[in-house]
């Protein structure tokens, strides 16, 4: 089982603030990293899949970076809006056969209007 | 394309009973995974099925079992329910495009054990 850590556990920001949070994972046998957004009363929804060291993905005001050598990924939200309120989950994948998916416990973001 | 569907959406059972949850994946997806989420916990992996075979299993007791049918629909069964089994159960399907498959989640079944 992978040791996946996300920090902070929760975060309150004012509307318009920019914020970021971290996903840490073992760097050995890295294959891919997924970010998901989980809004209350909805299903988790895929944001990004990242595979290469130095990868950077962007979707609107949300972007993510990846460092596979040190085993972390950052998710950034620029100019947070109330609709960004959600739990953000990361799930790394390792190489070497089909591994069970391990999700981090998530970062719960609350954007205050 | 229709999304992942799960039935039932809500369920109330009593301790000692058993329950079966159903998941229909997105058309063309052959991998179905099941997760449990309890308050304060992240998504805990239960098992994954691919082409009717269990490909991976999480650290859950044998009371939790599953299966997948030839049309990729999957069922999860929990026998001898305990209060601690109260949780949101999510299933997710993935396209057969390799190991970096994105998971597409259903709406979940919320199980309450009294």
């Amino acid at each position: 089982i992978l040791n996946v850590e996300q920090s902070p556990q929760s975060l309150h920001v004012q509307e318009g603030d920019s914020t970021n949070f971290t996903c840490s994972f073992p760097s050995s046998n890295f294959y891919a990293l997924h970010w998901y957004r989980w809004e209350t009363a909805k299903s988790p929804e895929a944001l990004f899949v990242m595979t290469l060291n130095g990868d950077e993905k962007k979707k609107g005001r949300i972007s993510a970076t990846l460092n596979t050598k040190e085993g972390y990924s950052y998710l950034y939200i620029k100019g947070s809006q109330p609709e960004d309120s959600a739990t953000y989950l990361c799930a790394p994948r390792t190489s070497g056969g089909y591994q069970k998916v391990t999700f981090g416990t998530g970062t719960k973001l609350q954007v205050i209007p | 394309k229709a999304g992942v569907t799960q039935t039932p959406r809500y369920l109330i059972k009593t301790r000692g009973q058993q329950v079966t949850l159903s998941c229909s994946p997105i058309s063309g997806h052959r991998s179905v995974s099941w997760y449990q989420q309890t308050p304060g916990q992240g998504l805990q992996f239960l098992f994954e099925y691919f082409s009717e075979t269990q490909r991976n299993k999480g650290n859950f007791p044998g009371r939790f079992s599953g299966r997948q049918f030839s049309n990729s629909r999957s069922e999860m069964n929990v026998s001898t329910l305990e209060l601690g089994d109260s949780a949101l159960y999510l299933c997710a399907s993935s396209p057969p495009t390799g190991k970096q498959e994105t998971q597409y989640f259903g709406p979940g079944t919320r199980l309450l054990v009294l």
Side-chain angles (χ1 to χ4, degrees):
Chain A
I1 298 177
L2 291 179
N3 184 23
V4 184
E5 294 184 1
Q6 290 189 247
S7 62
Q9 219 171 0
S10 66
L11 198 51
H12 291 78
V13 301
Q14 293 289 330
E15 182 176 350
D17 286 351
S18 294
T19 186
N20 65 86
F21 21 94
T22 308
C23 171
S24 300
F25 51 87
S27 57
S28 57
N29 302 319
F30 175 85
Y31 187 84
L33 180 89
H34 296 258
W35 279 101
Y36 291 85
R37 174 169 58 196
W38 193 359
E39 296 177 66
T40 303
K42 294 188 177 180
S43 311
E45 189 179 47
L47 277 173
F48 306 117
V49 55
M50 310 178 80
T51 56
L52 300 174
N53 186 43
D55 222 358
E56 196 167 322
K57 300 275 181 167
K58 191 172 179 184
K59 188 176 183 177
R61 293 176 292 96
I62 303 177
S63 60
T65 60
L66 177 67
N67 184 322
T68 60
K69 293 182 179 175
E70 295 183 38
Y72 64 84
S73 176
Y74 291 140
L75 190 82
Y76 301 90
I77 303 180
K78 187 177 175 182
S80 302
Q81 299 296 307
E83 58 265 30
D84 296 327
S85 298
T87 297
Y88 292 83
L89 300 167
C90 68
R93 293 268 196 165
T94 55
S95 58
Y98 289 97
Q99 305 292 325
K100 59 187 75 171
V101 179
T102 302
F103 280 86
T105 49
T107 292
K108 186 170 183 177
L109 173 67
Q110 184 75 39
V111 181
I112 303 160
Chain B
K1 229 179 201 182
V4 178
T5 58
Q6 290 187 246
T7 56
R9 294 293 311 280
Y10 304 93
L11 207 45
I12 299 175
K13 291 284 188 179
T14 55
R15 275 186 305 174
Q17 286 187 309
Q18 76 163 22
V19 67
T20 299
L21 312 182
S22 180
C23 172
S24 292
I26 291 172
S27 177
H29 289 194
R30 287 155 61 191
S31 167
V32 174
S33 299
W34 288 89
Y35 298 89
Q36 180 197 65
Q37 198 229 7
T38 49
Q41 297 288 317
L43 287 176
Q44 303 294 312
F45 175 79
L46 279 154
F47 25 67
E48 182 203 359
Y49 286 87
F50 183 83
S51 293
E52 301 179 66
T53 300
Q54 188 180 85
R55 191 155 70 174
N56 271 303
K57 189 176 190 305
N59 298 324
F60 278 82
R63 299 184 297 106
F64 291 81
S65 62
R67 59 178 176 168
Q68 187 179 34
F69 302 95
S70 58
N71 62 357
S72 294
R73 189 178 71 84
S74 177
E75 285 183 349
M76 188 191 105
N77 185 274
V78 188
S79 63
T80 320
L81 283 165
E82 299 178 0
L83 296 179
D85 297 332
S86 295
L88 177 67
Y89 291 88
L90 287 169
C91 84
S93 71
S94 302
T97 54
K99 275 192 62 204
Q100 49 172 284
E101 312 97 327
T102 293
Q103 304 222 339
Y104 295 83
F105 286 85
T109 294
R110 192 165 290 281
L111 171 66
L112 177 63
V113 182
L114 302 175

